[in-house]
Amino acid sequence: MIARDDLSDVRNIGIMAHIDAGKTTTTERILYYTGRSYKIGEVHNGNTVMDWMEQEQERGITITSAATTCLWKEHKINIIDTPGHVDFTIEVERCLRVLDGVVAVFCAVSGVQPQSETVWRQADKYSIPRLAFVNKMDRIGADYEHCLKMISDKLGANPVSLQVPVGTETEFAGVIDIIEEKMLVFDEQSLGQEVVEKPIPDEYKAKFAAARMALLEKLADFDELVMEKYLEDTRVSAEEIYDALRRATLALQVVPVLCGSAFKNKGVQPLLDSVIRYLPSPKDIPTVEGRDQSGEIMSRKTSPKEDFCGLVFKLMSDTFVENLAFVRIYCGRLKVGDRVLNPIKNKKEKIAKLLRLHANKREEVQEISAGDIGAIVGLKFTTTGDTLCSTGDYIVLESMDFPEPVIGVAIEPKSKAEEKKLSETLQKIAIEDPSFKISVNKDTGQTIISGMGELHLEIIVDRLVNDFKVAANIGKPQVAFKETITEKCKAEGKFDQLTGAKGQYGHVVLEVEPLERGKGFEFVSQIDKAVIPDAFLGAIRKGIADSLDSGPLIGYPLTDLKVCLIGGSYHEDESTEMAFGISSAMAIRRASSLAKPVLLEPVMDVEIVTPEEYIGDVISDLNSKRGKIVGVAAGKDLQIVSAHVPLTELFGYSTSLRSATQGRANFTMQFLEYDTVPANKAEVIIKKIRGI
């Protein structure tokens, strides 16, 4: 077993990929070969360990990230299996924030797919070292070399192949280990548990020699010892290659690539060996950075002997306990009974119970140490992205960015008796999922729930009805429009009123102008403090910002505009922050309604994979949906169409695509940007929402 303070034998890794590339199947095999599970679960049978939710088992997809711990060759591996569907990108984002390394799984037939690119970019953002596992080598159309090329071309990575596949498609028999110079065959009788070493077959010797030469050439660019031996034509030992590869992987210079078929139980043990050899331990992340009370950057050593600090990266409502907070411990130790500080909320929390997780099963522990991932039961004030540290200490670790929802539906209880239960349950889910939002429409009084896509909301409604037993009626999906302005304009706001004995006075002149798409809101003051003292600027800015929640057209949020304070006046005795807040709100409402406001809609980046004979129908259908075709690429017997399509046109698209292609095409989409709605379409939308 692992020494208590030895972090070099710990790995915190995530399994990430596009939907249906085989992440969960790969994780199930890892659990089986490490002895964590005693039988192999299959996604198509709905009996996997990691996809434990009823909604996951019904649909055969991962919805929530599941954590587990296993042992392999005296090393402890904490694994998080993340979703591949774009609607659940937030799950990947928050897991990557706390992981040290990642295994990216690619389908050998499809290669790099849209969501593969998204999760890869997320891993780039956090500078996480990666391994690649090219899965499904037994499938018809599997092409290992093509996958390597796509990893290089589409992801801008530097893939280094560590294996040569033996046999292709249904004839896939095993792999040749380029470093150890031997063939590995996975015994089918023992479900791949027994790995048989064999000499390299004669017909593969030339291919192996070329692959080994390519590996050494790439490593020579990053390692002086390998370069010297390569130039002198001296043999490089396996250990020297391992060391060079580890250094280059940790420095994000290369991505080691392995291959196999998780479903056919081939290639998983070498992947586990590579996780230990090349991915970082918490010791390889020597310090963690945060900010102190004054906002200055400070760093802490990753060690159990330091003061405690950790990051809560996920909350989960649970039927048996109040709530679970997933936490990554960066420094020190967390023990049952400890009192800790949440510096963001400035609240103290008591640690009542600590758990080690294995999907939805729990094991109570007395402490969690630096470099580990676990769960705390019953935190009262802490939410996703919050730091916890020792009382008397103060450090705030970098939090996470959460995407804005793009689609909403109206929801109401079926009876008055269900009203409170619905409200409480929605709040529970919102705390658990930061990409899910609840709002109330001011005009209609309806409760609107918003999320990242139709599937996201479908799962939430499913959980409401089946898990939480709330009876509710659901409206049609609604798009989260925004509003912006197209012209420069100025307006005045004056609030001059007597309230009781004391007057209230605030007077501002504001100028608004449009900003580039996606820039949000900017406020600048161009006046002298003799005109309006600096003490009132905060209230003016807040008055403006609060008013941007409701635009002049139909009350959607106002965005992408710059507001300049260019004039105004104040009274020494009667001016108050409240008066300036009100006058600012009046001015911004006038200015924005005069500045030719327009409606903005979310536009999705859509990729459709279709057999060649349906390409005309698919493109014609996209054109009818105001889609803009940005590229058509040829795959193996398939065409890949990339398009930008407004979200309003995509409701029920999966049904129309299936009927147009006899169910043989599929598509993925992710949010791209907000863009202006054409005037004629905007008029229809505005009339419909106003009920004209």
Side-chain angles (χ1 to χ4, degrees), residues 140-179:
I140 301 295
D143 190 335
Y144 182 58
E145 294 300 326
H146 182 59
C147 267
L148 288 172
K149 188 173 185 309
M150 286 180 86
I151 291 170
S152 175
D153 295 348
K154 280 199 165 189
L155 304 177
N158 187 7
V160 177
S161 178
L162 307 187
Q163 294 173 338
V164 174
V166 176
T168 56
E169 300 176 343
T170 52
E171 302 298 310
F172 177 65
V175 296
I176 293 167
D177 187 324
I178 296 171
I179 302 171

Side-chain angles (χ1 to χ4, degrees), residues 327-339:
V327 63
R328 162 72 193 262
I329 312 292
Y330 284 99
C331 316
R333 301 181 195 280
L334 187 60
K335 297 176 185 171
V336 172
D338 282 355
R339 290 189 78 81

Side-chain angles (χ1 to χ4, degrees), residues 14-36:
I15 313 282
M16 68 178 195
H18 185 89
I19 191 167
D20 211 26
K23 293 178 308 303
T24 302
T25 304
T26 304
T27 312
E28 290 296 317
R29 297 317 186 264
I30 288 172
L31 297 180
Y32 180 67
Y33 297 136
T34 57
R36 195 70 173 85

Side-chain angles (χ1 to χ4, degrees), residues 53 110 115 190 253-254 285 355 508 546 616:
M53 284 171 72
S110 307
Q115 190 63 4
S190 65
Q253 293 166 326
V254 299
I285 321 292
L355 303 174
V508 296
D546 289 348

